[in-house]
Amino acid sequence: MNTLPPPPDPLLLPVRDPRARYDVPDYAGMHDLAADLVLPGGASMYVMSAMETARELIRHSYYRYEFATVAVTHSLFALEHVLAERLAVNEPLHALIARAVDTGLITAELAAELDRSRLLRDKLAQGAASSAALRLFQAVHMLRAVFDAVSLLLRPPSGAEATAADGGGAPEGVLDRLWEEHRRALFPDGFRGVDFDGVDLVLLDANVAGLVYTELTHGLDDSGTGQLRGYIADLDTIVPLINEEYCAGYFTKLRTMARVAAEPHLPTAT
């Protein structure tokens, strides 16, 4: 008598949704469709997460066609958040879009595209439309409008920070500003306890922050400078390995701050 447990069911790999065959020839084509859906710099973790999730839903609609419609409606979380923050009011999305047009933040044409997405979301909530309401190319077009609007609404990085990120000399006060921005930034959700190439992200973040604070308050000694250089090398290694954009941006800014803190202690070129 065989007393062994039955073998587990074989792992079922995802297969193409047959409705996707009219839009792209293969999954690689989904990456081409989403290539220009670029996340804006300077967005909060909440906004970056919502927009990146929307973009990945577009890619994976190759396997589940309804994901394309869900991608558009999910992106509206980011749009509504950025509009409310930029306009400093708490109103329904349709009112926020109208205010943005009135104040010249977005064009009337772009607002019309955003309203199409908003109306679709409302129909879904009311049961007047299904999650298969959009064809893939319609969804990409509507999602692109949200990405364009969010990019317009977010302020670009300061010239001083851009100079520091490019490795140029840091003007006075840049480290203070970078430090304050770091203190306000949220550590990336889902990356606590995660390490890349043997480097624990939480510990690296804490160690760099501690050395930067020492530089701001007392100045680093030779030992602290050496430690900071080592952490900069760790950041140089792990940043290219991070495939989630808010997390990558968080640690890129941490690296910029570390480099600015270390710069006064680097040997002068002769």
Side-chain angles (χ1 to χ4, degrees), residues 43-234:
S44 68
M45 179 174 64
Y46 175 84
V47 171
M48 291 281 277
S49 176
M51 296 182 72
E52 187 171 11
T53 298
R55 187 182 64 192
E56 295 311 306
L57 283 167
I58 283 289
R59 293 193 214 272
H60 287 83
S61 65
Y62 182 81
Y63 300 113
R64 181 68 183 183
Y65 209 66
E66 284 81 357
F67 286 176
T69 300
V70 177
V72 173
T73 57
H74 191 83
S75 71
L76 296 181
F77 294 136
L79 176 66
E80 189 165 359
H81 182 87
V82 171
L83 279 169
E85 190 173 68
R86 181 68 185 269
L87 295 167
V89 292
N90 186 17
E91 294 180 342
L93 182 55
H94 72 275
L96 293 171
I97 294 172
R99 277 183 180 268
V101 175
D102 292 342
T103 55
L105 292 174
I106 61 175
T107 65
E109 292 79 11
L110 182 54
E113 288 296 327
L114 300 175
D115 262 323
R116 287 181 60 209
S117 300
R118 178 189 62 81
L119 290 170
L120 173 63
R121 182 194 65 178
D122 293 346
K123 288 181 180 179
L124 286 166
Q126 296 158 8
S130 77
S131 295
L134 295 178
R135 292 287 303 273
L136 177 58
F137 287 100
Q138 291 175 301
V140 171
H141 179 77
M142 294 166 75
L143 187 58
R144 188 177 293 117
V146 175
F147 271 66
D148 289 346
V150 170
S151 294
L152 286 172
L153 292 164
L154 289 172
R155 294 188 178 95
S158 67
E161 183 176 342
T163 299
D166 290 339
E172 185 177 356
V174 166
L175 185 58
D176 298 270
R177 287 193 291 274
L178 292 174
W179 172 249
E180 287 304 314
E181 290 175 9
H182 181 73
R183 289 181 61 229
R184 292 194 299 268
L186 297 175
F187 190 89
D189 281 343
F191 284 87
R192 298 184 186 279
V194 173
D195 69 80
F196 283 87
D197 202 29
V199 178
D200 183 275
L201 297 187
V202 171
L203 189 59
L204 178 61
D205 181 43
N207 288 337
V208 171
L211 289 167
V212 170
Y213 182 72
T214 298
E215 170 65 12
L216 285 168
T217 54
H218 306 295
L220 289 169
D221 57 18
D222 290 343
S223 175
T225 301
Q227 292 176 50
L228 187 57
R229 289 177 185 168
Y231 294 137
I232 292 171
D234 288 340

